[in-house]
Amino acid sequence: MDSKTLMVLEYPKVLERLAAHCEFSASREQALALQPTDSYDLALTLLQETTEARHLLSVHAVGIGGAHDIRPQVELARRGGVLEPKDLLDIKSTLIACRELKKTLEKARKTAVASTDSASPTRRTTKSQAHPAEPITYLYPRLAELALALPSPLGLVDAISRAVNDRGEVPDSASPKLAAIRKELRIAHERLMGRLQRYLTDSATAPMLQDSIITQREGRYVIPLRAEFKGQIKAIVHDQSSSGATLFVEPLAVVELNNEYREKQLEERNEILRILAEVSAQVGAAAGELLPGIEALAQIDLAFAKAKYAEEIRATEPILHPLPKVSARRSAQNTQATLSDQIPQAKIRLYQARHPLLDVATAVPNDIELPPGVRAVVITGPNTGGKTVSLKTVGLLVLMAQSGLHIPAQSGSELSIFQDVFADIGDEQSIEQSLSTFSGHITNIIRILKQINAHTLVLFDELGAGTDPQEGAALARAILQHLLETGCTAFIATHYPELKTFAHSTQGVVNASLEFDIATLRPTYKLTIGLPGRSNALAIASRLGLPETIVSAARSVVNPDELRADKLLDDIRKERNRASREREKAEKIRQQAEAVRRELAQRLEKIEEERREVIARAKAEAELEVEVLKRNLAHLKAQLKKLRQPLQALEHLEEKVDAVEAKVAAPVERKITGENNLQRIASPLKLGEKVVLRSLGSEGIITALSETDAEVQVGPLRVRAKLGEIMRKAEAETAETAQGVTKEQPTQPAQKSRKKTHASLSSTTYFSTSSFASPGMELDLRGQRAEDAITILQTYLEKAYLAGMPFVRIIHGKGTGVLRQEVRAALKGHEYVASFEEGHPNEGGEGVTVVKLAKE
């Protein structure tokens, strides 16, 4: 890309803001050196890095904390240098950061694979049958590809940990020799200190000393001797105080001890250097892996920085299009219509685009779109109205997209890939080169015109300004005509009315304008494609208080056609603004209607859930009554057999019981409610949105979307569910506040499974054909002492047996397990108990015991 254009469009400022999000120097260097690419494939790859990093950061707390730019240290080690302990710690922390990052990406992949494998029972069944297993892919393929290059030299982290502790010191455990040397060093030090301490405590020498201290001079331990006692103690003088009153002497009796201590210090230093050299050699041997790995780590950190910057400016990923090649060679004799057919049109469709360097809260977004067949846009409007900002916005967003950065525009914005971007914006005046403003602009334009082609984006601000208006307008029109002939895409800001006329009458060119509020005398910064800007000079002058006679005189001089044109433009703009307001009003009404429909659908859904719950309770009671009735019939049949009585009278009754049982066993069908409509009218779900799974009642984050289902991450698991089973978190909270969330549990025939029995009922009283009342399906013993609990249990079992109940549930809780053991010990061999077992997970698991009662 043209370096001057990058400076003019303030692209380096964007890079500076990007670099502020990098976590270490290597990635900051890459951020500041980031350049737009003209390769479509490379631009897509760079954008993919940003998108993956943005999604990863939204679901994982990931980063490269602790990493350092260790390239200089690695280079030094490769040349045979010895690294300092601090340098080795930097290398260690960087390798650990790389390892953790690899683990995070691997965990994300395993989570994705696990959710794929466990998405649904149907899917598992399909896999186990004729269909081959799907290929395992990474959730973040581009980041995973970069992570493959992250360094992980075998044993280097452990080697550094053994050689250097967290305080940057070489510990005794670094080598047996170092441990032995330091042991001898401590012994030598103790002997030396003990000998010197005698001089401090001996009554013969203590008065000769200035202070009772032992100090060091030139690496030797000495004592402070008063100058007047010089020679009284045989010693070597190493130093004296500034006043000369104190001599720092080493008694001859400790010279040998000092020598021994010093020798041990040198041995310790040499052994430490040997250890550091050994570890440094390992670092140097791994340089071939470490240096490229740091580059890969910097690239990953840059992707994270791009993601964080995108979040900061509320950016989205643009849709890129390759610019097709020119279909045929063009000649100078081609007509404009022929050129339009031969040269493909670039695609620029920016929705709610903002300048990336402006404050997100105050910047005015604009829709900037090239209509079909248009290659050039002529922008007119008042000074300080936003023309230059509009040009820079287009140029910067193109450069950002081709650099792999998300752009500050609404989702769905589209851009073509340009081979180069050229801009002539600002004052080109140069005193050193004796160039006026006009000469500076023309010199730059000449340079640009020599390099443009059909794959170029050109941005000209105030084309032809700085000279005679008539000649400047003619020159600007000729340059614009030349740009059309080359087939490039151009955005031109101007004040010349001649260019507005040219744009209106020329194929491939469209007018655009920036609005100005006459009432406030301020620009609105809103760009309108398709309408030229109108002159507001007379209206502004009148509003500011210029005498009406002067304004009228000026108006009389202006061509009446131009006044009528301005009036027509003003009327068109008012009608467009009115239509826009009406559209906004209609959109609000539509949203309100959708909200009402959504609320009604939710109410219908709650009513349906209540209906199903009531029916489920009734079915549970009916199943119990049918079971008790069948047992009573069986008992009655056995009595008749004993009495040798005919059983035909019971056959009709048994048929009715079977019919009732079949009816009770029929599943509760779900009536169609407004839920389907709700899904249709609700705003579409988005990636990263927090939702609630109706079936599980669990919160999660959407990680993948299709037309019919979505993949939701719930904790460490990923679950694939239909869109109808997913509810936004806010809607779920509203539903819980209004009525509470009920969970559906399927019922089956009583003779097939017992786990269906009334898990949601705690103390419902059931009716039976026995003359004894039912004590309820459950007995809750939680909080009872063991002795009291056994007494209550005995009474309950007797009542349940007499009521003819087939089974009951004893709730004792988990706790320490003491109450559970006592309860189950009491159940063993009990006369009313046929068998018992631990409850299923949906019944309470270890905290519940299900007791099957004996038959009479």
Side-chain angles (χ1 to χ4, degrees), residues 21-24 27 53 56-67 93-105 143 150 297 300-305 308:
H21 293 281
C22 296
E23 294 192 19
F24 76 131
S27 55
L56 178 61
L57 291 176
S58 69
V59 296
H60 292 283
V62 64
I64 60 163
S93 62
T94 301
L95 293 177
I96 291 175
C98 293
R99 183 174 62 194
E100 293 302 318
L101 185 56
K102 268 188 172 180
K103 284 183 180 179
T104 300
L105 292 173
L143 294 180
L150 292 178
L297 181 63
I300 293 176
D301 186 45
L302 177 59
F304 290 158
K308 294 172 186 175

Side-chain angles (χ1 to χ4, degrees), residues 42 99 153 211 342 407 418 430 551 557 580 646 750 802 810 822 837:
L42 180 56
R99 183 174 62 194
D211 293 299
Q342 292 180 351
I407 61 174
F418 293 95
S430 173
V551 174
V557 177
S580 177
L802 293 175
I810 310 301
E822 294 292 334
E837 62 181 354

Side-chain angles (χ1 to χ4, degrees), residues 307-466:
K308 294 172 186 175
Y309 182 55
E311 289 292 333
E312 178 186 323
I313 62 174
R314 302 177 192 172
T316 62
E317 181 182 4
I319 302 171
L320 295 186
H321 298 276
L323 200 59
K325 296 181 179 180
V326 179
S327 59
R329 289 184 173 274
R330 294 175 286 110
S331 63
Q333 289 79 23
N334 285 135
T335 63
Q336 184 65 33
T338 306
L339 286 178
S340 299
D341 295 336
Q342 292 180 351
I343 302 175
Q345 180 190 357
K347 183 166 290 187
I348 295 180
R349 185 176 292 129
L350 299 172
Y351 302 118
Q352 299 296 292
R354 293 174 279 103
H355 194 288
L357 299 179
L358 297 179
D359 185 1
V360 176
T362 58
V364 177
N366 277 303
D367 293 340
I368 305 174
E369 181 176 0
L370 283 180
V374 172
R375 302 183 188 283
V377 177
V378 176
I379 304 175
T380 52
N383 287 323
T384 69
K387 297 190 299 298
T388 303
V389 172
S390 298
L391 294 179
K392 288 186 174 182
T393 299
V394 174
L396 264 182
L397 267 55
V398 168
L399 296 176
M400 290 174 67
Q402 294 183 208
S403 301
L405 297 172
H406 287 183
I407 61 174
Q410 204 173 75
S411 179
S413 297
E414 302 176 55
L415 289 170
S416 290
I417 293 291
F418 293 95
Q419 287 182 356
D420 218 330
V421 178
F422 293 101
D424 179 66
I425 299 174
D427 191 356
E428 294 291 333
Q429 182 173 251
S430 173
I431 298 176
E432 293 179 358
Q433 300 179 14
S434 301
L435 292 176
S436 65
T437 299
F438 176 76
S439 300
H441 278 294
I442 291 299
T443 302
N444 192 35
I445 289 172
I446 293 171
R447 180 184 67 85
I448 292 173
L449 295 180
K450 291 179 180 179
Q451 303 178 65
I452 62 175
N453 56 40
H455 296 169
T456 304
L457 174 64
V458 178
L459 308 169
F460 283 157
D461 187 24
E462 301 296 350
L463 183 60

